[in-house]
Amino acid sequence: MSNTEVEDTIKRLSANKYVQAVLIVNKEGQTIKSTLDESLSKKYSDLITKLVEQTIHVIREMDDEENKTNDLSFLRVRTKKHEILVAPDTDYLLIVIQDPEKS
Amino acid sequence: MSNTEVEDTIKRLSANKYVQAVLIVNKEGQTIKSTLDESLSKKYSDLITKLVEQTIHVIREMDDEENKTNDLSFLRVRTKKHEILVAPDTDYLLIVIQDPEKS
């Protein structure tokens, strides 16, 4: 994604009234863009990056093919307080935190 | 859930043509019911139980309230090959593996 595309994506998502936060995190777990403050952005980026790594590990372990080609397309964690959506891109994770009533 | 309810749930879910497997796993990670063979059931139960624990850990860490009351309602892992749905109950995890094209 180009920088403008990233900005546009964040703007479009944030306009949704159910969306509480949008973060873009690189493969090293660093926050590239975020609608949250610095401390929360770091905390969420760290935790969600780690969760995605663990999820991908499980997917690979479950894969019965020798070359383990299976990969994560989308992760959705619904909690009592919010729903966390993670869309992995080649270089980034797009993370959206939204109201759980939405879906 | 009573035993009959468990059986009925599995029967109903398995009847869906997109559903590839249904497992019910207790809080210790042991398979209670499964439509898969023993070896795969054990593997999937172990891996998904661990993933759910890690997910709950992340949810609790993200919770800014002191008593950390937030909890997992539903987990959805879409992969290139299948989609894993996990609904946690008080004593069990209900796990459904389905065709990713379904949703």
Side-chain angles (χ1 to χ4, degrees):
Chain A
M1 280 197 285
S2 74
N3 212 30
T4 323
E5 283 175 310
V6 170
E7 296 283 359
D8 283 353
T9 303
I10 292 185
K11 211 178 283 171
R12 194 164 36 81
L13 289 168
S14 310
N16 183 315
K17 66 173 175 172
Y18 296 104
V19 169
Q20 296 163 342
V22 182
L23 293 96
I24 292 176
V25 179
N26 72 11
K27 291 277 153 168
E28 284 72 46
Q30 289 157 326
T31 319
I32 301 299
K33 297 275 177 196
S34 173
T35 60
L36 296 169
D37 68 38
E38 205 181 317
S39 141
L40 263 188
S41 296
K42 186 175 168 8
K43 187 176 172 182
Y44 283 24
S45 298
D46 283 351
L47 286 166
I48 294 169
T49 299
K50 206 175 295 171
L51 184 62
V52 166
E53 283 168 6
Q54 288 162 335
T55 305
I56 292 171
H57 172 77
V58 165
I59 293 168
R60 297 271 156 80
E61 286 289 312
M62 283 174 71
D63 196 358
D64 47 8
E65 276 178 46
E66 276 211 33
N67 52 1
K68 311 275 181 200
T69 53
N70 200 13
D71 208 355
L72 180 66
S73 313
F74 200 76
L75 177 66
R76 208 170 177 133
V77 182
R78 194 185 304 180
T79 77
K80 282 197 237 161
K81 293 185 183 175
H82 46 232
E83 186 167 38
I84 307 160
L85 311 178
V86 186
D89 191 38
T90 322
D91 302 311
Y92 304 102
L93 297 178
L94 172 65
I95 300 165
V96 174
I97 318 256
Q98 70 180 14
D99 189 320
E101 297 309 312
K102 151 85 179 155
S103 52
Chain B
M1 280 198 284
S2 74
N3 212 29
T4 322
E5 282 175 311
V6 170
E7 296 285 358
D8 283 354
T9 304
I10 292 185
K11 211 178 282 173
R12 194 164 34 81
L13 288 168
S14 311
N16 184 314
K17 65 175 176 172
Y18 296 104
V19 169
Q20 296 164 342
V22 181
L23 293 96
I24 292 177
V25 180
N26 72 11
K27 292 276 153 166
E28 284 72 48
Q30 289 157 326
T31 319
I32 302 298
K33 297 275 176 193
S34 172
T35 60
L36 295 169
D37 68 40
E38 205 180 317
S39 140
L40 263 188
S41 296
K42 186 174 166 13
K43 187 176 172 182
Y44 283 24
S45 298
D46 283 351
L47 287 166
I48 294 168
T49 299
K50 208 175 292 172
L51 184 61
V52 166
E53 284 168 6
Q54 289 163 335
T55 306
I56 292 172
H57 172 77
V58 165
I59 293 168
R60 298 271 156 79
E61 286 290 311
M62 284 174 70
D63 195 359
D64 47 8
E65 276 178 46
E66 275 210 36
N67 52 1
K68 310 274 181 201
T69 54
N70 200 13
D71 208 355
L72 181 66
S73 313
F74 200 75
L75 177 66
R76 207 169 177 134
V77 182
R78 194 184 303 181
T79 77
K80 282 198 238 160
K81 293 186 184 175
H82 46 231
E83 186 167 37
I84 307 160
L85 311 178
V86 186
D89 191 37
T90 322
D91 302 310
Y92 303 101
L93 297 177
L94 172 64
I95 301 165
V96 174
I97 318 259
Q98 69 179 14
D99 189 319
E101 298 309 314
K102 152 84 180 156
S103 51

